[in-house]
Amino acid sequence: MRNVRFPAAIETGMNLISQPARGGLSVLAAAITLLALSAGPAPAQQNKGGPAVRDVQGIVTDADGKPQAGAIVQLKNTKTLQIISFITKEQGDYYFHDLSADIDFQLSAERGDKTSAVRTLSSFDTRRQAVLNLKLDHDKK
């Protein structure tokens, strides 16, 4: 049997495989493990050891595109079903911060007799600061 060694750049100063290889599988398994360990955390998890969080913001407009101050934006946690509300500011803007990156959220807005379509902020969306604008173009039922 022959000894199998990784190039020095991959070994990073230590012998990763000092035993004779008994087949291509053990070498492949070691290589995959090394690559997985050196890849680092996913972008949404690079938060200095704390839980992965993100923000979502946007502007609520009417059907003509005019910003709507005083609209109620609701953020629903699809795991716990908890709903948080935000009343838009003068320019129709809203903001939710420190949301879990591992959970899907649904957003909708309403003002008077108009509502928006429900938008989803997916856990697969890796943006640290997502922008979801909402348009009040549906009649309340």
Side-chain angles (χ1 to χ4, degrees), residues 4-17 27 31 34:
V4 177
R5 291 177 43 110
F6 287 101
I10 294 177
E11 287 182 332
T12 61
M14 57 190 248
N15 227 349
L16 294 176
I17 302 177
V27 174
L34 176 66

Side-chain angles (χ1 to χ4, degrees), residues 84-95:
I84 301 170
S85 297
F86 187 99
I87 298 175
T88 58
K89 300 177 184 178
E90 273 186 47
Q91 300 301 316
D93 53 322
Y94 72 89
Y95 182 81

Side-chain angles (χ1 to χ4, degrees), residues 14-141:
M14 57 190 248
N15 227 349
L16 294 176
I17 302 177
S18 59
Q19 302 293 326
R22 298 186 185 202
L25 231 142
S26 60
V27 174
L28 179 61
I32 290 171
T33 302
L34 176 66
L35 288 172
L37 292 174
S38 66
Q45 296 174 346
Q46 293 177 356
N47 191 14
K48 298 183 182 174
V53 294
R54 61 190 168 166
D55 304 332
V56 63
Q57 63 185 11
I59 297 175
V60 177
T61 59
D62 64 10
D64 296 327
K66 296 176 187 167
Q68 296 297 296
I72 300 170
V73 179
Q74 293 188 326
L75 175 83
K76 181 178 180 180
N77 178 323
T78 61
K79 185 174 183 180
T80 65
L81 304 182
Q82 178 183 15
I83 296 174
I84 301 170
S85 297
F86 187 99
I87 298 175
T88 58
K89 300 177 184 178
E90 273 186 47
Q91 300 301 316
D93 53 322
Y94 72 89
Y95 182 81
F96 295 99
H97 60 86
D98 295 334
L99 304 174
S100 173
D102 300 328
I103 297 174
D104 291 347
F105 292 92
Q106 293 179 335
L107 290 115
S108 62
E110 66 178 59
R111 183 167 187 251
D113 61 347
K114 297 291 185 181
T115 64
S116 72
V118 176
R119 304 273 314 265
T120 300
L121 177 61
S122 171
S123 59
F124 295 109
D125 186 338
T126 60
R127 294 178 289 177
R128 170 70 173 90
Q129 293 185 345
V131 176
L132 293 177
N133 295 322
L134 302 169
K135 184 177 281 195
L136 299 171
D137 56 358
H138 301 325
D139 291 327
K140 266 189 191 176
K141 295 180 181 182

